[in-house]
């Protein structure tokens, strides 16, 4: 059950700005755009070999949701709104919202790295792990 919520939160896929696309359609589109042929839902954020293409799938997803701003920074308020909408379990929602406040999401030169660090920090601090 946590895996399905983690995937939704990690990738932050909602139909907020891309109303005609489902969560899976956005993920698939981003995987294709970034030539990623694995299953991003099964990757461990703490694995030092986390694929660059998977990091870019995360960035693509956040871009499509207007969470990743054009300057490469994260729109924290937008992320909070998405968590409120996506996460149904109250305890998990509280942990993720608190984690966002505790993490530093300074934009890096590479948007894929920025988003990866954002997702990794948020999920680690919330105690959400894939493996």
């Amino acid at each position: 059950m946590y895996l399905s919520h983690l995937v939704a939160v990690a990738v932050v896929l909602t139909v907020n700005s891309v109303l005609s696309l489902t969560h899976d359609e956005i993920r698939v589109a981003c995987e294709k755009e970034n030539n990623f042929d694995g299953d991003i839902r099964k990757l461990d954020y703490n694995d030092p070999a986390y694929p660059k293409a998977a990091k870019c799938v995360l960035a693509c997803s956040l871009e499509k949701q207007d969470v990743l701003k054009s300057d490469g920074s994260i729109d924290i308020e937008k992320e909070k709104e998405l968590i409120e909408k996506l996460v149904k379990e109250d305890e998990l929602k509280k942990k993720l919202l608190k984690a966002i406040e505790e993490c530093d999401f300074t934009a890096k030169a590479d948007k894929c790295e920025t988003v990866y660090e954002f997702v990794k920090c948020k999920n680690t601090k919330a105690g959400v792990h894939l493996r």
Side-chain angles (χ1 to χ4, degrees), residues 80 92-103 122 125-126:
K80 288 179 182 179
L92 178 58
K93 185 184 301 187
K94 288 178 193 173
K95 288 179 181 180
L96 289 164
L97 292 171
K98 183 177 186 236
I100 289 172
E101 297 298 327
E102 295 175 355
C103 292
K122 178 181 60 172
K125 288 198 176 281

Side-chain angles (χ1 to χ4, degrees), residues 50-62:
Y50 196 92
K52 173 74 173 184
K55 293 176 183 180
C56 291
V57 169
L58 295 173
C60 171
S61 298
L62 289 180

Side-chain angles (χ1 to χ4, degrees), residues 56-69:
C56 291
V57 169
L58 295 173
C60 171
S61 298
L62 289 180
E63 279 180 316
K64 289 185 184 304
Q65 302 312 308
D66 299 324
V67 174
L68 182 61
K69 297 179 188 177

Side-chain angles (χ1 to χ4, degrees), residues 41-115:
R41 298 167 295 186
K42 293 183 179 180
L43 296 177
D44 181 349
Y45 296 110
N46 293 308
D47 182 349
Y50 196 92
K52 173 74 173 184
K55 293 176 183 180
C56 291
V57 169
L58 295 173
C60 171
S61 298
L62 289 180
E63 279 180 316
K64 289 185 184 304
Q65 302 312 308
D66 299 324
V67 174
L68 182 61
K69 297 179 188 177
S70 60
D71 67 0
S73 65
I74 303 293
D75 184 335
I76 299 303
E77 292 308 312
K78 185 70 156 179
E79 173 66 5
K80 288 179 182 179
E81 289 174 20
L82 293 174
I83 288 172
E84 290 287 349
K85 290 178 187 176
L86 289 172
V87 181
K88 302 302 179 205
E89 292 178 34
D90 287 336
E91 190 61 31
L92 178 58
K93 185 184 301 187
K94 288 178 193 173
K95 288 179 181 180
L96 289 164
L97 292 171
K98 183 177 186 236
I100 289 172
E101 297 298 327
E102 295 175 355
C103 292
D104 174 21
F105 303 117
T106 307
K108 299 176 182 7
D110 181 335
K111 69 181 179 183
C112 299
E113 287 299 322
T114 299
V115 172

